[in-house]
Amino acid sequence: MFPKKIIKNYIYVFTFLIGALYTLSFPPFNFKPLIFFSLATFFYFLINSDRKKSILISYVYALSIFTTGISWIFNSIYFYGGEHLVISLFLTILFILLMSTFFIPIGLFINKQSQNVSYLYPIMVPSVWVFIELVRSYAFGGFPWLLVGTSQIETLFNVVFPLFGTYFVSFLVIMLSITITLVIYDRKFISLGIKYLISIVGLIIIFQIYQPNSLPHKNQKPLGVSLVQPNIHLGIKYDKTKINLIKNKYSELLDNNMHNLIILPETAIPTLYESDKNFYKNLLKNKNTNLITGIFRYNKSNNEIYNSMLSLSDKEYFYDKRHMVPFGEYTPLEFIFGFIGEILNLPMSNLTEGKKIQKPFIFNEAIIHQLICYEAAFPSLLNITNDSSFIINVSNDAWFGNSLAPYQHLQIAQSRALESRKYLVRVANTGISAIIDQNGKIVNKIKLNTEGVINSRILALKGITPYMRFGDYPVLMLIFSIMLFYWNSYKKYG
């Protein structure tokens, strides 16, 4: 790949640069092939280094990925938390440093000392990588951002998502990348590399041909939906003196051309629903109109406040957010980190988590599966059965400003649509609002930081994909079986 002398002298600089290439494979750049080059080069560095150096290279690689890819969290901490510059920088850097530790085990497994079992790298390295992705997706509230598999939306890997999910796409991409590394590293791996390459291509072909009965088929009853993106920035949204201005904007955007299902973004009005019920009722154009919007609601019986989604017609129904944002909507380990919330004085940062099992909304006999903001990153929250349904995701990405986050968030929503083979309607305050079809394709959208309305028609598709039926259990069984096999081989030959 590079002359060994240059690699040796500037190894950490090169590592940081290829980490940045990893980020460029995600939106808004979408240079998807770069992730293969980035990963293959990263593995090449590791395989030429001793264990101690490999661990450090892994950490630097992660630092680069998270610095270039998720430093936008500074925007949400700074603007959301009272514009404390020093504290916001400290928390952002701390978060990146902690997230980067997840990559350390990669250096433990790939190095000069483990070359006796390098023939198992093409299955072991993907297993370790996917295991790390799963852990960081759920540990301490979870942060499933910049997953390798997510970068491959709208590629030949599309056929894999509804069968085995995003993590198995990660597995295949890592397998291909480490195979490329081994072939470049030593010609003796060429025959092995060809076998693995044929296996991957064969799997993709089989997945392309395989169309099980459980895959959704079209219900020929299009549903009219209207998506409203008000583009209300934070300086206005949480200014109590601007509430009437916000209400007037919604009233102006909702004209007589709206379809019967009108969808507003997360926490459309930053006040408690109970104090503004009449406003929402007045938005209903006629008795056939159904309004779905994000709200803050107060439950008097338990004295709790929820980040919720409201379905309003002649009756009202609620969905309460189940997966809260750490430090944004609740404070984990409050007896340790409680002081952070006090310093930042975050608005609505002590919300209550919704029940794990909640009823979906229903519109024109179609079932609506609800996701609020950050929940779109967690496929396990979709309780899809063999139903005629679609997904609604409301969000407020204004916290992230004009950064990479809204584009990355939209791509994550695409992966949920593709895994479930359902239409996904995404409505965000400042964008990016979009209609995503069952193939993960964006068929209509409103640009970031733009006010607008989408009037369109979608399909409530019937069926359940293998991934929605079995979740990540098949992938977990696969990687743990491989790890067990690797461990036995390492003890024997390592």
Side-chain angles (χ1 to χ4, degrees), residues 97-378:
L97 292 174
L98 291 174
M99 289 298 300
S100 299
T101 60
F102 283 106
F103 277 57
I104 288 175
I106 298 169
L108 282 170
F109 282 97
I110 312 175
N111 50 67
K112 285 181 178 179
Q113 284 92 323
S114 62
Q115 285 186 16
N116 289 338
V117 287
S118 56
Y119 67 96
L120 291 175
Y121 277 175
I123 56 174
M124 184 56 195
V125 175
S127 299
V128 173
W129 190 288
V130 170
F131 179 74
I132 291 169
E133 285 194 339
L134 283 163
V135 171
R136 74 176 177 91
S137 294
Y138 291 97
F140 309 111
F143 191 72
W145 233 260
L146 299 182
L147 302 179
V148 168
T150 307
S151 72
Q152 298 305 298
I153 293 287
E154 296 184 284
T155 67
L156 57 84
F157 290 102
N158 265 22
V159 296
V160 181
F161 284 90
L163 294 172
F164 299 106
T166 301
Y167 296 106
F168 190 67
V169 177
S170 292
F171 186 96
L172 294 177
V173 172
I174 298 297
M175 178 187 279
L176 183 57
S177 300
I178 188 64
T179 300
I180 293 169
T181 300
L182 289 174
V183 170
I184 293 172
Y185 175 73
D186 194 325
R187 290 185 178 181
K188 71 180 182 182
F189 290 111
I190 290 177
S191 61
L192 181 68
I194 291 173
K195 291 177 183 176
Y196 277 112
L197 181 60
I198 291 173
S199 299
I200 294 171
V201 174
L203 281 174
I204 297 297
I205 293 173
I206 291 170
F207 293 160
Q208 185 71 56
I209 297 172
Y210 176 58
Q211 294 292 328
N213 293 329
S214 59
L215 289 181
H217 61 271
K218 289 184 178 180
N219 177 346
Q220 300 301 321
K221 291 182 180 179
L223 302 170
V225 295
S226 293
L227 291 61
V228 180
Q229 180 172 302
N231 193 35
I232 300 168
H233 290 267
L234 292 184
I236 296 174
K237 183 155 187 172
Y238 284 92
D239 183 345
K240 293 180 180 179
T241 65
K242 306 292 186 182
I243 297 298
N244 286 332
L245 185 150
I246 295 171
K247 291 179 179 179
N248 290 337
K249 173 168 278 196
Y250 281 113
S251 298
E252 291 169 3
L253 286 170
L254 271 65
D255 58 33
N256 293 324
N257 296 320
M258 309 296 278
H259 287 299
N260 284 342
L261 180 57
I262 300 171
I263 310 169
L264 309 185
E266 179 185 15
T267 58
I269 306 296
T271 58
L272 292 177
Y273 170 66
E274 287 71 21
S275 64
D276 270 316
K277 282 190 175 186
N278 288 335
F279 167 75
Y280 292 102
K281 289 179 180 178
N282 290 335
L283 293 178
L284 299 176
K285 296 297 181 182
N286 56 62
K287 65 179 181 179
N288 296 319
T289 302
N290 192 304
L291 175 71
I292 291 181
T293 178
I295 59 169
F296 287 123
R297 80 175 186 94
Y298 174 67
N299 188 328
K300 190 175 181 180
S301 63
N302 59 8
N303 194 32
E304 302 284 6
I305 297 176
Y306 298 86
N307 183 353
S308 303
M309 198 185 296
L310 164 72
S311 175
L312 181 65
S313 53
D314 55 333
K315 295 181 180 179
E316 59 181 24
Y317 301 93
F318 301 100
Y319 163 80
D320 300 321
K321 190 175 182 182
R322 292 169 286 169
H323 199 109
M324 315 300 283
V325 179
F327 298 105
E329 294 173 318
Y330 81 103
T331 304
L333 302 175
E334 193 167 358
F335 64 96
I336 298 176
F337 299 113
F339 73 96
I340 295 176
E342 292 177 5
I343 294 173
L344 297 179
N345 191 28
L346 304 176
M348 294 293 186
S349 60
N350 192 23
L351 299 173
T352 301
E353 187 176 82
K355 294 179 181 178
K356 296 301 180 185
I357 304 298
Q358 300 182 52
K359 291 182 179 180
F361 296 156
I362 297 176
F363 174 72
N364 281 9
E365 299 182 356
I367 290 175
I368 299 172
H369 300 284
Q370 315 99 321
L371 295 171
I372 298 178
C373 189
Y374 188 60
E375 291 185 323
F378 300 91

